[in-house]
Amino acid sequence: MLHRRRFLQLGSLGLSAFSFSSFRMPAASRKPIVISTWDAGIEANKAAWKILRNGGRALDAVEQGVMVTESSLNCCVGLGANPDRDGHVTLDACIMDEHANCGSVAFLERIKHPVSVARRVMEKTPHVMLVGEGAQQFAVAEGFPLEPDKLSDDAKKSYENWLKKSEYKPVINIENSKKSTAAVPTRLENGDWNHDTIGMVAMDAEGNLSGSCTTSGMAFKMRGRLGDSPIIGAGLYVDNEVGAATATGQGEDVIRICGTHLVVELMRQGLSPENACKKAVERIIKIKGAKAKEIQVGFIAINKRGEYGGYCIQKGFNFAVCYADDKNFLVDGKYIL
Ligand code: ASP
């Protein structure tokens, strides 16, 4: 209730209040920096940080960071994840650099590192997005091995469990009922993941920004369903003049507001990363009305000064922040409902 009241009060102050607070400059620009969604972000940040601390490019950091999560077979991201309702794991990912170059793959099967395929799309084709069979064909032509068409043991168990009712009910907000504290996401007692995505944004020592986002999407989704994660401007957006943002949660509602593009544009208007994420969350809540309680969406963002922030609809979202060898920590996302 307190949160709601505060949200209404802040809302009535309007944009100028946010703009005012954002003009309080931090003592110094913080770079390099990397942030990523959820607790799996701790491990992913470590890999990204190795690159950033040695003067590497943010683009390499955000690719190699999320590859850690994609590699973990017992994870909600990558080939170990829950399948769609026809029993196939389909993966979505995208990446974007400081020049607004971007690449994306969606509905990709049997490839371990969709984020790297997305990078190849960006670097080696005149396109932004490849999907399904075509994306897989491109990946294989680029030398990515075709992995066996097989569910991990845990995913198989959880799919068999789901098949008993075959209820098509998106369950994105399960972290609300039981929060994981594991460094790599773990399966909940009912067989579901606490979340399905990792999104990462980083600024390197040169001050250049990049971002990545990779997911298996919603568990037991309709075959062919895509969420926000592979969509530039929805699951990820980078503008090297302003900042970068990524999203997690119910993808349909992130797409509806072009979520991360909105966050970056709000930062351009002077909002801090946290307030920009908050405004985007508020917009979803306004659209969804009473149904907002049934979903979770979280945004995280950084700006060119190395300030970071995140916001979500309801309690249970966290993100990992790293800007020094001994500074890689989880932050609980502030929430509105
Ligand atoms: N945003 C992802 C999707 O809708 C899911 C997630 O973030 O957990 O596919």
Side-chain angles (χ1 to χ4, degrees), residues 52-337:
L52 293 173
R53 75 192 290 273
N54 292 321
R57 197 175 162 200
L59 181 69
D60 295 321
V62 297
E63 180 189 6
Q64 290 187 37
V66 303
M67 281 172 75
V68 170
T69 328
E70 286 179 343
S71 286
S72 165
L73 246 202
N74 183 30
C75 183
C76 55
V77 174
L79 291 174
N82 281 331
D84 63 16
R85 64 183 187 180
D86 290 10
H88 304 285
V89 176
T90 70
L91 303 176
D92 310 325
C94 70
I95 194 160
M96 189 162 186
D97 75 6
E98 72 271 26
H99 306 296
N101 295 315
C102 42
S104 159
V105 287
F107 193 43
L108 177 63
E109 293 175 278
R110 299 177 58 190
I111 299 289
K112 191 172 172 185
H113 289 300
V115 72
S116 302
V117 186
R119 183 167 176 176
R120 298 284 174 93
V121 172
M122 171 175 101
E123 290 177 340
K124 294 201 162 180
T125 80
H127 309 301
V128 167
M129 196 162 194
L130 290 180
V131 304
E133 213 182 298
Q136 192 191 67
Q137 200 178 317
F138 171 74
V140 170
E142 282 295 309
F144 290 86
L146 205 52
E147 305 293 336
D149 187 11
K150 188 172 166 285
L151 294 183
S152 68
D153 291 347
D154 284 345
K156 191 162 176 279
K157 234 183 278 165
S158 122
Y159 180 54
E160 280 162 3
N161 200 29
W162 177 80
L163 277 176
K164 287 180 198 153
K165 286 193 184 160
S166 299
E167 212 176 20
Y168 187 60
K169 192 169 144 230
V171 191
I172 284 273
N173 195 29
I174 38 188
E175 70 280 2
N176 218 12
S177 54
K178 184 175 174 184
K179 196 176 155 192
S180 161
T181 51
V184 169
T186 45
R187 219 171 270 265
L188 301 179
E189 277 149 21
N190 64 0
D192 286 329
W193 296 110
N194 50 344
H195 41 83
D196 306 285
T197 300
I198 182 160
M200 175 178 273
V201 287
M203 179 161 65
D204 58 31
E206 297 282 312
N208 285 322
L209 299 166
S210 287
S212 62
C213 189
T214 180
T215 189
S216 60
M218 205 180 264
F220 318 125
K221 60 196 174 187
M222 282 178 74
R223 184 144 178 84
R225 177 263 183 193
L226 298 185
D228 59 314
S229 306
I231 299 177
I232 299 296
L236 175 72
Y237 198 68
V238 176
D239 183 320
N240 208 42
E241 284 183 0
V242 178
T246 186
T248 183
Q250 183 130 308
E252 284 73 3
D253 294 305
V254 177
I255 294 172
R256 237 181 276 291
I257 63 156
C258 300
T260 53
H261 184 260
L262 175 63
V263 170
V264 171
E265 288 308 302
L266 289 167
M267 290 195 286
R268 193 193 306 280
Q269 289 172 26
L271 269 67
S272 68
E274 183 177 296
N275 282 334
C277 292
K278 185 179 185 198
K279 278 268 174 201
V281 168
E282 285 172 5
R283 192 167 296 185
I284 293 175
I285 292 173
K286 194 172 170 202
I287 290 169
K288 297 296 281 187
K291 288 199 162 154
K293 286 199 197 84
E294 294 164 19
I295 61 161
Q296 176 67 302
V297 169
F299 293 104
I300 61 170
I302 55 175
N303 65 16
K304 280 294 267 190
R305 297 191 291 253
E307 295 170 303
Y308 62 86
Y311 232 91
C312 55
I313 295 182
Q314 45 196 307
K315 196 176 174 184
F317 168 63
N318 56 13
F319 59 100
V321 177
C322 178
Y323 51 79
D325 286 351
D326 60 346
K327 294 267 181 302
N328 185 18
F329 52 90
L330 281 176
V331 177
D332 282 329
K334 292 186 185 166
Y335 54 93
I336 292 177
L337 295 183

Side-chain angles (χ1 to χ4, degrees), residues 3-19:
H3 274 90
R4 170 116 187 100
R5 254 203 311 275
R6 192 165 148 63
F7 153 44
L8 289 172
Q9 279 164 4
L10 287 173
S12 68
L13 289 176
L15 190 63
S16 53
F18 288 119
S19 305

